[in-house]
Amino acid sequence: KNNKIDAKIPKNTPNADQTMLLRHIDFEATPFDLILERSRLTHMELSTQLLELELQSLILRGPGGYSKA
């Protein structure tokens, strides 16, 4: 029943909050502190959302920060 709907939505599609956060991350390494300042999220909120984006392969973590995949 709902499986047909779920199957059509790619697993790595960002939700509204993640889409907003992705606007603050560049294609080149963006330092955590800069993303924190741009997003105005708390340290914990940002850490959680970055981990979720990384697990969905939407961002990469590397030397100097995070970048869009």
Side-chain angles (χ1 to χ4, degrees), residues 1-62:
K1 299 171 188 176
N2 288 337
N3 293 340
K4 290 181 182 180
I5 294 171
D6 293 340
K8 293 181 182 179
I9 300 172
K11 297 290 183 201
N12 61 349
T13 301
N15 64 32
D17 289 337
Q18 293 170 334
T19 298
M20 188 65 98
L21 180 56
L22 283 168
R23 294 179 183 164
H24 302 298
I25 301 171
D26 302 321
F27 283 99
E28 295 184 11
T30 310
F32 181 91
D33 290 339
L34 182 57
I35 302 169
L36 187 65
E37 181 182 322
R38 289 176 176 177
S39 68
R40 298 183 178 177
L41 294 171
T42 67
H43 191 280
M44 182 63 78
E45 290 169 332
L46 180 58
S47 295
T48 301
Q49 288 192 29
L50 288 173
L51 178 59
E52 290 173 2
L53 289 171
E54 192 175 356
L55 291 172
Q56 293 177 2
S57 299
L58 294 170
I59 63 169
L60 302 170
R61 182 176 53 178

